[in-house]
Amino acid sequence: MTNPEQLWADGQLLALDLESTDVDPRRDRLVTASIVTITPSRTGGKPQIETRNWLADPGIDIPADATALHGVTTDYARTHGRPAAEVVEEVSGDLARIWTAAVPLIAFNAPFDLTMLDAELRRHHGRGLDLSGPVVDPICIDRHLHPKRAEKRTLANLCQHYKVRLDQAHTSADDAVAAARLAWRLAKAEPERIGRLAPRALHNQQAKWFREQQRARADDLQYRLGRLPRSDTARIDRLQQQISDARAAATAWPLLPETTAIPTRRLLPPRPDGARRDGPVLLSEMGQLRSAA
């Protein structure tokens, strides 16, 4: 970004959202995916919005709880969905084509979506996701700006708080558009702290914020663990696993380590699985990062 007064949100934006079979991004499977490209008008009119949607046959049954959220049943996915291998190849290909150092990728709760896409690529194609540009995650930013916010930070709740339109929650296309609107609103509301940061710098800041957030969560859980009676073994085991997960997650952003599954948008039990990374993913460490156009 060459103009220090320019907000990254005024340039081209890219947004991603996935819906899935469950909440473990490394173990569970992709069901729907949407990529939204927002290109500002040169004449000051409405931006051009292009949306591409995919429906995959995940190859496993879709639990009823997941269907209740995104509306896709196992039978529907098997009848109308395309093979998951084809879908993840096309989604990653579209991202590689548009996502650059100058065009940030917006994803609400980015560690879930990007880790799932990475896992699906490894499962079907033997390669990981190429992080070819910076990531903007509205929930990570909001947690940093307002750490004491009491309400749950769902996409719907944050859209309501920031007066951002969300047409139909848990459809990947509408969620992606809403995440982009939310990121735009945060950039406009906080130009000094968020909007005028270069996308590369904002990405690296979020990696640090996420690390701090997960460590603080682990410390809070550790305090709660110390107050439990020794006889409550079930809750002790659960808190110990959550503490381990939070500390592991603090080592990596926006791709979660394979040793953890952070609870995400769905109120379903997480299932840990997988290898860890050595530290937060900073764009200065990415050899694959493309230069700005």
Side-chain angles (χ1 to χ4, degrees), residues 2-159:
T2 57
N3 182 358
E5 298 302 313
Q6 181 181 354
L7 274 61
W8 53 261
D10 290 329
Q12 188 176 43
L13 302 176
L14 183 66
L16 169 74
D17 188 79
L18 310 181
E19 297 296 329
S20 60
T21 60
D22 212 323
V23 299
D24 185 333
R26 291 212 173 270
R27 178 171 178 172
D28 298 311
R29 308 299 176 88
L30 179 149
V31 177
T32 68
S34 294
I35 290 178
V36 176
T37 306
I38 302 171
T39 305
S41 170
R42 294 184 178 180
T43 60
K46 290 184 177 181
Q48 179 183 358
I49 300 177
E50 297 181 6
T51 303
R52 190 171 184 192
N53 301 311
W54 292 265
L55 171 64
D57 175 3
I60 63 173
D61 289 345
I62 301 173
D65 287 343
T67 296
L69 288 173
H70 52 60
V72 181
T73 65
T74 300
D75 287 344
Y76 188 87
R78 287 174 178 168
T79 302
H80 301 282
R82 295 170 54 205
E86 293 181 8
V87 170
V88 298
E89 178 73 13
E90 289 186 7
V91 172
S92 63
D94 268 24
L95 289 179
R97 181 172 54 85
I98 308 169
W99 184 17
T100 69
V103 181
L105 175 65
I106 299 166
F108 188 86
N109 197 10
F112 179 88
D113 295 79
L114 297 183
T115 301
M116 172 161 281
L117 188 54
D118 179 77
E120 288 279 33
L121 281 167
R122 294 180 187 280
R123 182 176 296 120
H124 295 290
H125 299 287
R127 60 181 174 83
L129 177 65
D130 179 13
L131 299 177
S132 54
V135 174
V136 176
D137 185 348
I139 193 173
C140 181
I141 294 172
D142 181 73
R143 281 179 177 145
H144 173 73
L145 295 175
H146 306 286
K148 298 187 183 299
R149 188 189 305 284
E151 67 182 1
K152 291 182 178 180
R153 297 176 205 259
T154 63
L155 177 60
N157 284 350
L158 289 189
C159 283

Side-chain angles (χ1 to χ4, degrees), residues 161-235:
H161 177 82
Y162 288 102
K163 297 180 173 54
V164 167
R165 195 176 91 209
L166 171 59
D167 294 325
Q168 187 175 349
H170 297 298
T171 62
S172 54
D174 287 343
D175 281 3
V177 172
R181 290 171 178 154
L182 189 54
W184 184 91
R185 183 62 54 87
L186 286 165
K188 295 291 184 178
E190 297 285 350
E192 298 304 322
R193 291 197 283 177
I194 304 299
R196 291 197 180 101
L197 290 179
R200 175 194 293 261
L202 180 57
H203 177 108
N204 290 344
Q205 286 283 41
Q206 288 170 98
K208 297 175 183 177
W209 297 341
F210 184 79
R211 179 174 60 230
E212 294 166 357
Q213 292 159 9
Q214 292 304 313
R215 288 177 176 172
R217 180 173 182 267
D219 290 344
D220 178 65
L221 292 171
Q222 190 72 50
Y223 172 78
R224 290 163 55 187
L225 177 64
R227 297 173 64 86
L228 287 179
R230 290 177 177 243
S231 58
D232 195 348
T233 56
R235 291 182 65 191

